[in-house]
Amino acid sequence: ELTGTLKKIKDTGVITLGHRESSIPFSYYDDKQQVIGYSQAMMLIVVEAVKADLKLAKLDIKLLPVTPSNRITLLQNGSLDIECGSTTNNTERQKQVSFSTTIFIIETRLLTKKTSGIKDFPDLAGKNVVTTAGTTSERLLRKMNEDKQMGMNVISAKDHGEAFLTLETGRAVAFMMDDALLFGEMAKARRASDWTVVGTPQSFEAYGCMLPKGDPAFKSVVDDALAKAMKSGEAEKIYAKWFLQPIPPKGLNLEFPLSDAMKALYKAPNDKAYD
Amino acid sequence: MAYNWNWDVFLQPTATGDDTYLGWMFYGFKMTIALSLSSWLIALAVGAVVGVLRTVPNRGLSGLATAYVEVFRNIPLLVQLFLWYFVMPELLPLAWGDALKQTNPILQQFFAAMLCLALFTSARVAEQVRSGINSLPPGQKNAGLAMGFTLPQTYRFVLLPMAVRLIVPPLTSEFLNIFKNSAVCSTIGLLELAAQGRQLVDYTAQPYESFIAVTLAYLLINVVVMFGMRWLEERVRVPGYIGGK
Amino acid sequence: MISMNKVSKHYGSFQVLSDCSTQVEKGEVIVVCGPSGSGKSTLIKCVNGLEPFQSGEIIVNGVSVGDPKTDLAKLRSTVGMVFQNFELFPHMRIVENLCIAQVKVLGRSPDEARAKASSLLERVGLSEQAGKYPGQLSGGQQQRVAIARALAMDPICMLFDEPTSALDPEMVNEVLDVMTELAQEGMTMMCVTHEMGFAKRVATRVIFMDQGRIVEDDSKDAFFEAARSERAQQFLAKILHH
Amino acid sequence: MISMNKVSKHYGSFQVLSDCSTQVEKGEVIVVCGPSGSGKSTLIKCVNGLEPFQSGEIIVNGVSVGDPKTDLAKLRSTVGMVFQNFELFPHMRIVENLCIAQVKVLGRSPDEARAKASSLLERVGLSEQAGKYPGQLSGGQQQRVAIARALAMDPICMLFDEPTSALDPEMVNEVLDVMTELAQEGMTMMCVTHEMGFAKRVATRVIFMDQGRIVEDDSKDAFFEAARSERAQQFLAKILHH
Amino acid sequence: MHEFDWSSIPGAWPFLWDGMVISLQITITAILVGIVWGTLLALMRLSSIKPLAWFAAAYVNLFRAVPLVMVLLWFFLIVPTLLESLLGLPRGSDVRLASAITGFALFEAAYYSEIIRAGIQSVSKGQMAAASALGMTYGQSMRLVVLPQAFRNMIPLLLTQGIILFQDTSLVYVSALADFFGAAYKVGDRDGRLVELLLFAGAVYFVICFSASRIVRHYQNKMKVA
Ligand SMILES: Nc1ncnc2c1ncn2[C@@H]1O[C@H](COP(=O)(O)OP(=O)(O)OP(=O)(O)O)[C@@H](O)[C@H]1O
Ligand SMILES: Nc1ncnc2c1ncn2[C@@H]1O[C@H](COP(=O)(O)OP(=O)(O)OP(=O)(O)O)[C@@H](O)[C@H]1O
Ligand SMILES: [Mg+2]
Ligand SMILES: [Mg+2]
């Protein structure tokens, strides 16, 4: 007997997907306002699996853009069935929502101008550094500043785009964020070749799809679908499409090779948080 | 609704460990107050001058004042905020812009927000001042002039004292608006009340507690301002005049 | 003392005053009357430069009002004016209403100004009200204060624009009495008013206006006994018969 | 037709009317006068229930005004009222001002209402203005329209509250003329007014009020020749002498 | 100085236009609903039935105390859930537009009701007395005499409030709804041309609001003459 999210999807014939608007290359709009990206592709695999599992002839997809500040609330209040974007799986969030099998593993690093002379985090002492509000990077950065008495000025921008603008206009010397997203921001820049990603990774983070809490049946459908895609090599193809080939909007190639952590993930899918 | 209410969240230490969440909210509250009050003082001063200029017989001056009001009234606050914060430094000469950007970012955000709120509100204050002056009987200006006052003296001794009293009630709502509008300033990263509320959601995933707390804080500000302005209204009331005792 | 020579004024294409000329000698009391909208208020406001005019000339006490070089504020401080709606300053006490211009314009000391104010309030019978606000007085009292306020500047002449028409009928006389006294003391006055009783009692001359023109400018007796123009006769008939 | 019996009214502790009693017979013209604030307007507004009163009784055409069961709207539609400030409806043309209540209150057909309106406008000499808005008329014309509007309801009596005191002096007579005519045709009228000429011409009785009391209630001749109370004599002296 | 690159604007026309349509949709619906509901609130506030007056006063003061951003968040995140759990409705998927319109309409009604209340009070008491004296009931007097004048007096203020409302639609960014400002921001963000798009959005808002306020001014002058 179906319960929870699956029952709701079966009854209504509709699944509502939460996506991001400018998390390149995970989940963002192309120039025709279509949602594309690595996470979006993974989410569509999940949707297919749900459709098959429920033996539905037709499953309508509704898309709802979310922001870092409203995504959890929207999932909790039932506006969303699933959210795949660039959401880090951590224990705090697990109190409110549950996470699927990890879909991506990133490291938090720095984006800076090639000519800035910044090589690693200690170089940031006494400088203006930007990060995006509400992210784990913000916490790490503030904590580092506090613990090591670095005297940085931490700017919390509303979203990645604003953070990058802060960097680009010279307000900050570096932008700390998930490395994949930093490559994504570079892809939008006026002159992508001016920028570089540097620094010792400060953390590993696991991106997962957010699911309503306490719905194991739905989670297992989602997890199985993702695990299957990873083991079958389909996930790696999707990875190649978004990280090793030119992507919209400007046809830039991120040239972001598959990390060891990702290889391990694809071999042994899991939903472990890193904190 | 499957929601884990947790009001204790405010007493928990924050993720960065330097404070409790309640402390964050309080910081945001102080920021909102500081931002709003400083903007309000500027808005009053600028608005009074511009509002008076709109009523003077000199066409050049009143045209200038009108242009000022139209520009600041007809662009959404949110857009103005972005323009002040992101665009203005780009339009300055390079050296100035760079110098500006190297200052403490919290100060940059604060001053951009303050300037933006102040000028945006000053246009509205100017309109109130103008309508206050225009709503005085036209004979008052003539009476002042006929006594031998110069035009500036007429404004200073006759028109403004009454106009200011007349516009206390509409100014109350502009004053309240400035607190409310300050919530928009979180979009450039300024950590005022609404922003701290949102941070709390980001960090603790307890949206309802945070929303309720922030809403109550705004209500509190509102009540205090309303009582304050009502007290002021009583204070400046002219005996025997409409609405007076 | 006041001399007007072919004064004209228009708003756009609308002619408010056309070629108005008259002379007022020291000590004369001139009553200006005429139908509503005929330009009486405008004429009288031109005398102290409250309304600008486009052509013609007005000389008050040897100073040309229309001349851009004239210090209008100074001129106005020597000409008292009383308005239909009193126009006391509502946020000041009565005594402050009387003192402010003495101090700020004439540069008198506050004590001197206060002494002057008291004696004038005494004269209009309102010493008791000195500490009140205008809104707390009746219309007739307010207008008497307004007259005292104008007198406080020691004006060389006084202009009145329908000083009694906003008053309750009972209060008209208390104001007219003050004006009559003033006239009898030899003050030079120009009064726009429809109080023909007052005109008959103290006017030296009556000016009748219609459509921006001075239609009659007669001695009082000539005017009331045999107004020359038909328009003035009609007007008098309307205004006197009830 | 109108009978008042010991009517009293107060705002809080302030007594506006104290024990006012009088009778108005069909065809009588009553003039009410007295100093400002003496309660004249209040008295007249009590007659058609525009002001509630706390004690006493008013009977209009057999209906008790103070009775909570009385249909006040219906009563008022039979009593015409004219206000100091005309109170025409500024957003309606003159003819619409005359028709609206006929149609909405009396339920007449629009055609019937229009015919009535035309004949009344004719009567007050304003047929030409039917299509204009009130703001485009002079004060005197507006007040004549207001009288026509009240007459359009075929009232059994008319109440006037200082109908001429907001008018320019020239226009007073055109309104008084209409009222005089109405009185001469036998309309029952209660008029608050200070126009003593009008009172002398058409009033059957004069009521003098002071501080909320009816101090005198005399036949016209008795009042003008020998007002009994000192207060009324003073008042007459003030109001007549200028 | 900054080097400007306006090239991303022409390609984004359709998206920007869609955004403008959403802004206008919210503005117009909220104005209409706001005026109707605001009028009712104003009548309640002026009514002699105390509970109604209290309700209206509480409503107006509450909405005027809270920042619009917060109201929009409440209506986006919390109110739909409450309603659904109370009424047992199925979960609608995209409530962004509906919630924005509802939030705006209810919020603006508080402001409109104050304007309309002032409008009613600006009609002289004598008008109500004159209507009553002609035998009209309270309802008739309000409907035929007082309200038409109140609205006529207040049209400039109502329109000005409408212009403010149009500007405030930019705040729907909290629900990621792409109104005109949101659309411009998103295009700018996507293409790395935020500065240009913000300037462009500012100019467009200025042109629209300025023209609208000119029209209001024109209307005001015309009324003064009439
Ligand atoms: N600012 C203005 N613009 C256009 N016309 C004006 C202006 N001020 C006055 N007028 C017109 O000038 C004419 C004369 O006005 P004025 O006030 O001098 O008349 P008045 O004789 O004093 O009338 P009243 O007895 O009504 O006071 C009137 O027709 C008036 O409409
Ligand atoms: N709503 C009110 N609240 C308190 N007092 C009032 C109110 N309305 C009228 N009064 C007072 O009642 C008294 C009588 O008022 P009313 O208008 O009847 O006087 P009136 O004789 O018509 O005077 P006027 O000649 O000035 O029109 C006045 O003293 C007035 O101040
Ligand atoms: Mg005049
Ligand atoms: Mg009265």
Side-chain angles (χ1 to χ4, degrees):
Chain A
E1 194 47 26
L2 286 178
T3 53
T5 314
L6 287 174
K7 179 174 190 311
K8 196 179 98 183
I9 295 171
K10 173 134 196 168
D11 290 350
T12 55
V14 177
I15 184 165
T16 311
L17 311 180
H19 66 86
R20 296 292 295 275
E21 296 184 301
S22 67
S23 279
I24 301 175
F26 293 97
S27 179
Y28 66 104
Y29 289 126
D30 67 8
D31 44 13
K32 290 175 211 69
Q33 300 306 313
Q34 300 297 315
V35 186
I36 54 172
Y38 173 86
S39 301
Q40 184 67 14
M42 298 301 267
M43 187 150 62
L44 291 178
I45 288 176
V46 169
V47 171
E48 279 311 310
V50 168
K51 186 173 163 190
D53 186 75
L54 295 174
K55 302 191 185 59
L56 290 169
K58 189 167 151 294
L59 178 58
D60 282 338
I61 295 178
K62 289 254 170 82
L63 290 170
L64 186 63
V66 302
T67 66
S69 3
N70 70 19
R71 55 191 169 184
I72 292 180
T73 321
L74 286 172
L75 196 82
Q76 278 179 327
N77 74 14
S79 298
L80 297 175
D81 295 320
I82 178 169
E83 190 263 3
C84 289
S86 47
T87 305
T88 300
N89 175 358
N90 65 30
T91 40
E92 232 162 53
R93 289 179 180 156
Q94 283 172 12
K95 287 183 206 148
Q96 300 290 346
V97 296
S98 83
F99 281 89
S100 74
T101 290
T102 300
I103 57 172
F104 204 90
I105 294 171
I106 53 88
E107 303 167 344
T108 42
R109 301 180 66 196
L110 293 172
L111 178 63
T112 183
K113 223 179 198 141
K114 277 182 181 153
T115 56
S116 70
I118 305 281
K119 294 279 173 283
D120 205 344
F121 284 89
D123 299 335
L124 297 176
K127 300 243 164 59
N128 292 354
V129 186
V130 65
T131 179
T132 306
T135 59
T136 37
S137 295
E138 188 192 19
R139 283 177 231 200
L140 290 171
L141 195 60
R142 287 188 190 279
K143 201 157 166 51
M144 183 193 307
N145 200 18
E146 196 83 8
D147 294 349
K148 301 196 180 146
Q149 295 293 318
M150 291 172 70
M152 286 184 286
N153 292 313
V154 178
I155 307 175
S156 300
K158 176 169 68 79
D159 52 34
H160 304 323
E162 210 180 285
F164 185 66
L165 186 65
T166 308
L167 176 70
E168 199 182 21
T169 55
R171 277 210 154 91
V173 295
F175 172 15
M176 176 172 175
M177 198 19 66
D178 307 353
D179 53 2
L181 289 172
L182 291 179
F183 279 96
E185 285 304 319
M186 256 166 78
K188 301 193 302 193
R190 266 161 229 266
R191 277 187 295 276
S193 55
D194 286 359
W195 304 96
T196 178
V197 173
V198 300
T200 335
Q202 290 302 301
S203 69
F204 288 95
E205 288 182 22
Y207 286 176
C209 293
M210 282 199 292
L211 311 170
K213 197 170 163 60
D215 193 344
F218 185 46
K219 178 168 158 58
S220 86
V221 174
V222 173
D223 284 351
D224 289 350
L226 291 173
K228 201 171 125 214
M230 290 179 188
K231 286 184 174 152
S232 70
E234 195 185 350
E236 203 165 332
K237 269 191 229 133
I238 296 177
Y239 182 93
K241 177 170 178 209
W242 293 102
F243 291 93
L244 302 169
Q245 288 164 26
I247 55 164
K250 293 200 175 155
L252 195 86
N253 186 341
L254 301 188
E255 294 173 47
F256 186 69
L258 197 61
S259 65
D260 292 343
M262 285 295 290
K263 283 180 194 151
L265 174 73
Y266 284 169
K267 276 207 198 83
N270 62 74
D271 62 0
K272 204 168 98 247
Y274 277 84
D275 63 345
Chain B
M1 213 165 71
Y3 184 76
N4 298 322
W5 288 96
N6 179 14
W7 287 101
D8 291 341
V9 71
F10 290 108
L11 300 178
Q12 288 167 11
T14 59
T16 45
D18 53 345
D19 204 346
T20 58
Y21 286 110
L22 188 64
W24 272 16
M25 299 292 270
F26 190 61
Y27 174 87
F29 186 77
K30 283 191 297 193
M31 189 65 109
T32 291
I33 304 273
L35 176 64
S36 307
L37 288 183
S38 53
S39 309
W40 180 240
L41 292 181
I42 303 175
L44 274 185
V46 177
V49 172
V50 175
V52 166
L53 287 184
R54 285 204 76 180
T55 64
V56 299
N58 182 320
R59 286 206 163 222
L61 285 178
S62 70
L64 216 62
T66 307
Y68 177 93
V69 169
E70 293 297 350
V71 166
F72 286 100
R73 253 200 338 186
N74 286 320
I75 301 177
L77 178 64
L78 187 58
V79 178
Q80 287 189 33
L81 187 63
F82 279 108
L83 294 181
W84 281 117
Y85 186 61
F86 282 120
V87 180
M88 196 264 292
E90 305 304 318
L91 302 180
L92 289 175
L94 205 57
W96 297 15
D98 283 349
L100 183 72
K101 287 173 195 166
Q102 293 323 310
T103 51
N104 183 328
I106 296 182
L107 286 182
Q108 285 181 50
Q109 291 163 352
F110 186 86
F111 281 110
M114 183 178 79
L115 202 61
C116 172
L117 269 184
L119 299 190
F120 179 82
T121 310
S122 74
R124 285 155 204 270
V125 171
E127 279 304 272
Q128 303 291 1
V129 170
R130 179 178 75 112
S131 77
I133 292 174
N134 285 345
S135 70
L136 297 175
Q140 286 280 305
K141 181 174 161 194
N142 278 338
L145 292 175
M147 311 274 304
F149 286 133
T150 59
L151 190 64
Q153 280 181 317
T154 308
Y155 272 96
R156 163 75 185 76
F157 297 121
V158 179
L159 299 178
L160 280 177
M162 269 326 279
V164 164
R165 287 172 163 88
L166 288 181
I167 62 175
V168 169
L171 279 187
T172 306
S173 65
E174 291 304 335
F175 194 16
L176 291 173
N177 279 341
I178 214 166
F179 285 97
K180 290 183 277 172
N181 287 335
S182 70
V184 172
C185 297
S186 59
T187 46
I188 59 166
L190 187 74
L191 291 175
E192 44 68 72
L193 184 55
Q196 293 289 30
R198 227 165 299 149
Q199 276 227 93
L200 196 103
V201 182
D202 293 340
Y203 280 50
T204 65
Q206 297 283 358
Y208 296 73
E209 290 86 345
S210 155
F211 272 34
I212 291 171
V214 171
T215 304
L216 288 178
Y218 279 112
L219 277 176
L220 175 74
I221 293 177
N222 215 59
V223 169
V224 171
V225 170
M226 282 225 281
F227 274 102
M229 291 300 271
R230 201 159 295 163
W231 174 82
L232 182 68
E233 217 176 307
E234 295 283 337
R235 277 293 303 270
V236 301
R237 198 167 259 183
V238 176
Y241 204 71
I242 10 148
K245 293 260 153 62
Chain C
M1 168 140 314
I2 302 173
S3 128
M4 288 195 174
N5 197 0
K6 291 194 180 275
V7 174
S8 294
K9 175 184 174 72
H10 52 85
Y11 289 112
S13 66
F14 179 69
Q15 196 75 19
V16 191
L17 295 179
S18 316
D19 282 344
C20 295
S21 305
T22 191
Q23 308 288 330
V24 183
E25 299 307 326
K26 190 159 169 19
E28 271 195 306
V29 176
I30 312 289
V31 164
V32 181
C33 63
S36 177
S38 55
K40 309 178 293 295
S41 302
T42 309
L43 184 80
I44 209 157
K45 283 187 195 148
C46 284
V47 172
N48 65 352
L50 282 179
E51 293 270 1
F53 47 93
Q54 280 95 8
S55 70
E57 194 188 40
I58 302 182
I59 311 277
V60 176
N61 207 24
V63 181
S64 166
V65 178
D67 187 339
K69 287 192 291 289
T70 302
D71 180 353
L72 276 180
K74 186 151 173 250
L75 170 75
R76 288 177 188 140
S77 70
T78 64
V79 176
M81 181 149 190
V82 175
F83 299 83
Q84 177 171 9
N85 292 309
F86 331 138
E87 306 298 353
L88 296 180
F89 306 137
H91 58 292
M92 297 179 194
R93 293 171 195 280
I94 298 305
V95 56
E96 288 162 339
N97 261 282
L98 266 72
C99 290
I100 178 113
Q102 294 188 62
V103 175
K104 302 286 174 186
V105 177
L106 302 183
R108 290 186 186 150
S109 75
D111 286 343
E112 203 183 343
R114 250 160 215 281
K116 180 98 192 168
S118 302
S119 83
L120 281 165
L121 283 177
E122 179 93 63
R123 177 162 162 197
V124 297
L126 292 170
S127 309
E128 247 125 75
Q129 320 292 341
K132 289 200 181 156
Y133 285 90
Q136 299 171 307
L137 304 191
S138 77
Q141 291 174 322
Q142 288 191 52
Q143 194 62 299
R144 278 144 66 200
V145 172
I147 295 175
R149 182 176 68 173
L151 292 175
M153 306 293 286
D154 291 322
I156 54 170
C157 67
M158 293 277 289
L159 309 175
F160 293 83
D161 188 4
E162 308 207 29
T164 58
S165 64
L167 296 177
D168 280 327
E170 279 186 287
M171 296 169 180
V172 169
N173 281 313
E174 67 192 50
V175 172
L176 288 181
D177 289 345
V178 172
M179 288 170 62
T180 306
E181 214 171 285
L182 211 55
Q184 284 160 351
E185 285 167 15
M187 176 61 82
T188 315
M189 291 163 68
M190 264 184 99
C191 311
V192 176
T193 181
H194 290 121
E195 295 296 339
M196 290 302 142
F198 172 76
K200 283 184 183 154
R201 235 177 305 140
V202 298
T204 46
R205 277 194 357 255
V206 178
I207 290 179
F208 176 75
M209 294 190 68
D210 191 26
Q211 298 185 356
R213 296 183 179 275
I214 295 188
V215 180
E216 307 246 348
D217 185 350
D218 295 332
S219 77
K220 171 179 68 179
D221 299 334
F223 182 77
F224 285 111
E225 273 150 39
R228 273 164 293 182
S229 69
E230 198 183 330
R231 190 70 191 81
Q233 281 169 9
Q234 274 175 10
F235 178 80
L236 277 178
K238 280 201 172 169
I239 210 171
L240 289 176
H241 116 256
H242 62 266
Chain D
M1 169 142 310
I2 301 172
S3 124
M4 290 195 171
N5 198 357
K6 291 194 180 274
V7 174
S8 295
K9 175 183 174 69
H10 52 86
Y11 290 111
S13 67
F14 179 70
Q15 197 77 16
V16 192
L17 296 179
S18 315
D19 282 345
C20 295
S21 305
T22 191
Q23 308 287 328
V24 183
E25 298 307 327
K26 194 161 167 11
E28 271 195 307
V29 176
I30 311 288
V31 165
V32 182
C33 62
S36 177
S38 57
K40 308 178 296 293
S41 302
T42 309
L43 183 81
I44 209 158
K45 283 191 190 142
C46 285
V47 172
N48 65 352
L50 280 180
E51 293 271 0
F53 48 91
Q54 278 96 7
S55 69
E57 192 188 41
I58 302 183
I59 310 277
V60 176
N61 206 23
V63 181
S64 165
V65 178
D67 187 337
K69 286 194 292 289
T70 302
D71 180 351
L72 274 181
K74 187 152 171 251
L75 170 76
R76 288 176 189 143
S77 70
T78 65
V79 177
M81 180 146 192
V82 175
F83 299 84
Q84 176 171 11
N85 293 310
F86 332 137
E87 304 298 355
L88 295 181
F89 304 139
H91 58 298
M92 298 179 191
R93 292 170 194 282
I94 299 304
V95 56
E96 289 163 339
N97 261 283
L98 267 73
C99 290
I100 181 110
Q102 292 188 61
V103 175
K104 301 284 178 189
V105 177
L106 301 183
R108 290 186 185 151
S109 75
D111 286 342
E112 203 182 343
R114 250 160 214 280
K116 180 96 191 170
S118 302
S119 82
L120 281 165
L121 282 177
E122 179 92 61
R123 178 163 162 196
V124 297
L126 291 171
S127 308
E128 249 126 75
Q129 321 293 340
K132 291 198 180 157
Y133 284 92
Q136 299 171 303
L137 304 190
S138 75
Q141 291 174 323
Q142 288 192 50
Q143 194 61 298
R144 278 141 68 199
V145 172
I147 295 175
R149 181 176 70 174
L151 292 175
M153 307 294 285
D154 291 322
I156 53 169
C157 65
M158 292 278 288
L159 309 175
F160 293 82
D161 189 4
E162 308 206 29
T164 58
S165 62
L167 296 177
D168 280 326
E170 282 187 286
M171 296 170 181
V172 170
N173 280 314
E174 66 191 54
V175 172
L176 288 181
D177 288 347
V178 171
M179 289 171 62
T180 306
E181 214 173 282
L182 211 56
Q184 283 161 352
E185 283 167 16
M187 174 62 81
T188 313
M189 290 163 64
M190 265 183 99
C191 312
V192 176
T193 181
H194 291 121
E195 296 296 336
M196 290 301 141
F198 172 78
K200 283 183 182 155
R201 233 177 308 140
V202 298
T204 45
R205 277 195 357 255
V206 178
I207 290 178
F208 177 77
M209 294 190 67
D210 189 28
Q211 297 185 355
R213 297 184 179 277
I214 295 187
V215 180
E216 307 248 346
D217 185 348
D218 292 333
S219 76
K220 171 179 65 178
D221 299 334
F223 182 76
F224 285 112
E225 274 149 39
R228 270 163 297 182
S229 68
E230 198 184 331
R231 189 71 189 82
Q233 280 168 8
Q234 273 174 9
F235 178 78
L236 277 178
K238 280 202 174 171
I239 210 169
L240 290 177
H241 113 257
H242 61 268
Chain E
M1 253 187 34
H2 202 78
E3 5 166 347
F4 289 105
D5 172 4
W6 307 94
S7 60
S8 47
I9 296 174
W13 256 138
F15 185 47
L16 292 173
W17 174 249
D18 288 349
M20 186 53 81
V21 170
I22 290 189
S23 293
L24 291 174
Q25 217 175 337
I26 296 175
T27 309
I28 292 169
T29 331
I31 289 181
L32 294 180
V33 178
I35 288 183
V36 171
W37 176 221
T39 308
L40 290 177
L41 283 171
L43 290 176
M44 285 191 226
R45 186 114 192 237
L46 294 170
S47 114
S48 50
I49 305 169
K50 282 282 171 291
L52 280 185
W54 288 331
F55 165 77
Y59 178 99
V60 169
N61 285 326
L62 178 67
F63 271 94
R64 285 163 58 98
V66 183
L68 179 54
V69 187
M70 294 300 294
V71 173
L72 291 176
L73 277 175
W74 275 99
F75 275 86
F76 179 49
L77 295 177
I78 297 184
V79 176
T81 327
L82 279 180
L83 282 184
E84 275 150 14
S85 61
L86 283 179
L87 305 175
L89 295 175
R91 183 73 223 183
S93 49
D94 191 352
V95 294
R96 287 180 299 155
L97 186 59
S99 79
I101 289 179
T102 318
F104 267 105
L106 296 184
F107 181 82
E108 294 298 326
Y111 284 80
Y112 280 124
S113 98
E114 287 296 277
I115 294 176
I116 293 163
R117 182 165 71 114
I120 293 175
Q121 286 171 333
S122 79
V123 177
S124 76
K125 282 224 172 81
Q127 287 283 310
M128 192 74 187
S132 307
L134 284 169
M136 291 187 196
T137 59
Y138 177 81
Q140 284 177 322
S141 311
M142 265 295 166
R143 198 157 39 81
L144 300 172
V145 176
V146 177
L147 281 180
Q149 292 184 56
F151 273 107
R152 241 176 48 145
N153 295 346
M154 289 296 140
I155 278 179
L157 276 183
L158 291 173
L159 290 178
T160 305
Q161 182 65 30
I163 295 172
I164 295 175
L165 168 57
F166 175 67
Q167 292 182 14
D168 284 346
T169 53
S170 56
L171 297 181
V172 296
Y173 77 87
V174 293
S175 58
L177 186 59
D179 74 314
F180 179 69
F181 176 75
Y185 188 89
K186 281 167 193 172
V187 171
D189 186 11
R190 185 195 67 203
D191 296 350
R193 295 286 173 274
L194 257 184
V195 171
E196 289 84 348
L197 267 292
L198 289 175
L199 279 171
F200 174 71
V204 170
Y205 273 109
F206 178 76
V207 168
I208 295 179
C209 297
F210 182 69
S211 322
S213 65
R214 284 279 125 168
I215 296 172
V216 175
R217 179 91 41 86
H218 177 78
Y219 183 88
Q220 235 168 341
N221 290 342
K222 230 175 69 185
M223 264 191 17
K224 235 180 254 163
V225 175

